[in-house]
């Protein structure tokens, strides 16, 4: 019985954990894209 409750808890936390993981990995990527686009005169993807 005790293990079953723990499984429910971990299953309810899992989406938030994944969301945090994705946002942490996307944060620096978005920052570098924005910084790179500003450095290139505001043109996105211009090299």
């Amino acid at each position: 019985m005790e293990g079953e409750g723990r499984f429910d808890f971990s299953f309810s936390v899992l989406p938030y954990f994944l969301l945090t993981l994705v946002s942490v990995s996307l944060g620096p990527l978005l920052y570098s894209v924005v910084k790179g686009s500003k450095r290139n005169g505001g043109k996105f993807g211009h090299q």
Side-chain angles (χ1 to χ4, degrees):
M1 275 294 189
E2 199 174 306
E4 201 172 299
R6 190 169 32 197
F7 175 73
D8 289 341
F9 174 73
S10 62
F11 188 72
S12 63
V13 170
L14 191 64
Y16 298 105
F17 180 72
L18 287 175
L19 187 68
T20 303
L21 202 64
V22 168
S23 64
V24 165
S25 60
L26 270 179
L29 182 67
L30 279 173
Y31 177 77
S32 63
V33 166
V34 169
K35 283 295 249 188
S37 65
K38 283 183 180 176
R39 190 181 300 139
N40 292 332
K43 291 188 170 56
F44 184 77
H46 182 70
Q47 297 209 351

